[in-house]
Amino acid sequence: MQERQWAADACKGDEIAFHELINSQKRKLYGIAYSYLRNEADALEVLQETVCRAWMKCGKLKDPDTFIPWLYRILMNCCVDELRRRRRVDVISQEPQQGTIEMVDVNKLDIERVLNRMKPKYRHALMLKYYQDMTVPEIARILEKPEGTIKTWIHQGLKQLRGQIEQGGGWDHE
Amino acid sequence: MNRREEQRLIDYFQSSHIAEQSIEDTLLDKAVVQGIQMGSRKRRSFMFRYRAGIMAGTLALCIGLFILMWPRIHVGPSPAADKVNFTAPDYVKSQISHNSAWLEAANHGLYQPINQTREQGGYRVTVDGVLADKRTMIFFYTAENMDGSSTPAVNNTKFLGTDGKSVSASVESDSFSQLSNKKVVQNRYILNFYGNDTTPDKFTFTGNWGPGQASDAKRQKFEIPVKLDRSKFINLEKHIPVHQDMMIHGLKATLDDATLYPLSTELGFSYDKKNSRKIQQFIKPRLTLKLQDQAVESAFRGSSLTENEPNRMYFNSLYYTDFSSLQFRSDGVEESLGDHLSIVVDTSKRELVHAPDDRVRLGNVITDSGSTEIQFHIKRGSNSLSSLDLDYSFTDGKGHTHKVATTRSESRILDPYSSHSSNDDFDVYHYFIDTKSYPQPLTIPITNYPGNEIRQPITIPIQ
């Protein structure tokens, strides 16, 4: 209830309420950012950018109940932006790497590689289900899609994960 | 059959759980505070669309309002301002009571109950009332979804004049919305009138109501005529001639006059037309007034620009404030680099061909199948300076005009935006165009650009 009141006040431009609301979510927001970016500095940077964008735009929200889902969407979009930027930089500055991954869990590297290549909508759905442990209706609310669509995305995401890991990766999308 | 992949994902996200639990609070707090500070800086500047054709059709009037939030603490509330002496729905009284200037005005009879209700297609919309003076109108309405459980949402709201065109005003709609329950929304709009335009006595409020995600075809169009009694406010203004010059580093400005209205205060400036150098904004402008033995500042709300100079500046209302002296103050000015600035970029060669100065550099050019993002790096300067903004249209090498990209469904423009990294000494401006082959180079007009900062305290006595 407290969060709803903060959200209602934040929508009216109340900075203190906005700050309280973000404080109540900051750890979870950071965790989600970390799940995409796998790096503390980048996750903090994206958290900062998310808070900035949310504070700039929260006055446009009409329904306080949508505040948290909306905040998550901003965060996930910021993460995707950062990954796209990284991919671009990687292409420009790729250097051959040798002998640097012996100590890293290969399974996790595989999953990370597949998630990084997956369509963002599938990745968002998988992250919300298997990291945030959300139900399909909860995910549907955050991603603003019907529950059936979310089930399809989760199914497709898992299918791609299985297929690409078995094949050793490498497909194109969009 | 997905169980193995599901378990792999759960294992994969374990490290995120650990990171989430182990990150230091101080680092999170720093990111949150910096994010809010950045957002506060950026939300100060947003453009309002302003109907063309005013000022005899000859003067290009650009309203570039830098809106600050209406402050909660307002100068000069009299003891009587704590009491509500007008009749209105509770949510209206509550909203008006949050702002002492609004409350003073309402208590002086400027709140006009309208109580016009229309019902159709399971929706009921009521215009509850209007708090208005000659320059400002705060419009309150209630919308109800009588059949369903979803919250009524509106799009395409307009305030139409008797000529059927939108009234010439900037409309703020984003500052307040209240849900008394899921089916009822109470909301307000703030209309500000500039130049020769004043609050009209007749207009029609229109909008399409429906569930949040509904298409226009599934929405109900409402048209509610509203009549105001202008005699209540049309003569409520106090005009103070000033005619004081100021000179700063060869730039001359004259404060011509101040006009006090019940809901706002306006200052009029003029400039030396012979001088090609221009002031594009004042740094930290404010009104300082003396209330008995106390000096108080009235917050700056925005300015309207004529030929890129701030010819009118707007502050919170002082109409009902009993002050003994009033001054305009500023910490200096920002000098414009010139009119008609642009950035020229060759996206195929990934080269910046031209920019107003060396503060702008080309960052990444990221191409997707739908849109191409061009990133410009702009060196960060003082917080007081204007920020970079680019036009939503650009021309290609053959002079053809193109619009910025939209989303795939073309339902939404991909708005350009700025982002900021604390590790860098520059901001990144993200600009999106459709991915296709353009004759190069592309010329993008600049609508806002940081000028030269000239810091020198300015004080002009008004009264």
Side-chain angles (χ1 to χ4, degrees), chain A residues 26 38 45 59 130-131 162, chain B residues 2 6 15 20 29 174 421:
Chain A
K26 65 187 177 190
R38 320 297 292 177
E45 191 90 345
Y130 296 105
Y131 174 34
R162 182 172 60 252
Chain B
N2 287 329
E6 289 180 316
S15 57
E20 180 184 328
D29 290 341
D174 59 349
S421 164

Side-chain angles (χ1 to χ4, degrees), chain B residues 208-359:
Chain B
N208 301 329
W209 267 270
Q213 301 295 323
S215 64
D216 276 359
K218 291 181 180 170
R219 289 177 178 273
Q220 297 293 322
K221 184 172 184 183
F222 280 73
E223 293 188 352
I224 305 177
V226 176
K227 272 188 191 175
L228 296 184
D229 179 358
R230 278 181 26 122
S231 68
K232 284 180 181 290
F233 56 73
I234 200 66
N235 294 318
L236 297 184
E237 64 175 73
K238 296 174 186 170
H239 186 252
I240 306 170
V242 182
H243 304 299
Q244 289 278 337
D245 294 338
M246 55 143 272
M247 184 71 83
I248 176 166
H249 286 235
L251 292 162
K252 184 183 167 193
T254 305
L255 173 52
D256 296 319
D257 59 1
T259 311
L260 279 51
Y261 299 102
L263 295 168
S264 68
T265 302
E266 271 184 45
L267 300 191
F269 283 85
S270 56
Y271 300 90
D272 181 3
K273 294 293 171 202
K274 291 174 190 163
N275 193 346
S276 59
R277 295 170 61 206
K278 285 183 174 177
I279 293 171
Q280 72 183 31
Q281 70 163 349
F282 286 87
I283 297 171
K284 205 182 165 197
R286 67 260 187 203
L287 291 177
T288 307
L289 52 153
K290 264 200 170 171
L291 300 170
Q292 294 158 344
D293 294 330
Q294 198 184 359
V296 186
E297 285 185 354
S298 175
F300 174 59
R301 287 173 50 201
S303 56
S304 62
L305 312 177
T306 302
E307 295 177 353
N308 293 328
E309 290 177 308
N311 70 317
R312 307 294 292 178
M313 298 179 73
Y314 304 92
F315 298 82
N316 283 339
S317 172
L318 304 171
Y319 190 84
Y320 297 109
T321 305
D322 189 16
F323 54 83
S324 56
S325 73
L326 180 63
Q327 292 176 329
F328 168 77
R329 286 192 175 184
S330 163
D331 289 352
V333 297
E334 181 182 339
E335 183 187 354
S336 165
L337 293 194
D339 297 334
H340 312 299
L341 300 177
S342 63
I343 287 178
V344 182
V345 61
D346 187 323
T347 51
S348 61
K349 292 182 185 167
R350 295 169 190 259
E351 275 179 13
L352 184 66
V353 179
H354 168 78
D357 59 24
D358 60 6
R359 285 179 289 185

Side-chain angles (χ1 to χ4, degrees), chain A residues 60-171:
Chain A
K60 294 191 188 306
L61 275 183
K62 303 296 178 203
D63 180 357
D65 288 336
T66 63
F67 197 109
I68 301 291
W70 172 75
L71 193 60
Y72 281 22
R73 282 199 299 280
I74 295 177
L75 177 74
M76 291 187 289
N77 288 337
C78 286
C79 290
V80 171
D81 285 351
E82 174 60 19
L83 288 171
R84 281 174 55 192
R85 187 194 66 78
R86 246 188 221 179
R87 204 176 301 153
R88 184 74 211 163
V89 172
D90 283 350
V91 170
I92 292 167
S93 63
Q94 208 163 41
E95 294 286 331
Q97 292 185 346
Q98 291 180 345
T100 55
I101 59 170
E102 287 90 340
M103 301 302 287
V104 181
D105 183 332
V106 176
N107 281 335
K108 285 187 179 167
L109 271 182
D110 281 343
I111 292 175
E112 186 169 335
R113 177 175 49 77
V114 178
L115 287 174
N116 281 343
R117 291 180 175 190
M118 193 177 278
K119 285 184 180 177
K121 60 188 183 185
Y122 297 158
R123 183 174 189 170
H124 297 330
L126 292 179
M127 182 277 296
L128 293 171
K129 181 163 174 57
Y130 296 105
Y131 174 34
Q132 291 296 312
D133 205 20
M134 286 185 184
T135 62
V136 168
E138 287 169 335
I139 299 171
R141 191 152 174 270
I142 287 180
L143 298 182
E144 292 186 308
K145 293 289 172 191
E147 291 178 23
T149 305
I150 299 301
K151 286 178 187 165
T152 305
W153 287 0
I154 292 170
H155 178 73
Q156 287 295 329
L158 290 172
K159 193 173 155 190
Q160 290 191 3
L161 196 63
R162 182 172 60 252
Q164 294 307 311
I165 290 175
E166 283 169 1
Q167 289 169 22
W171 78 90

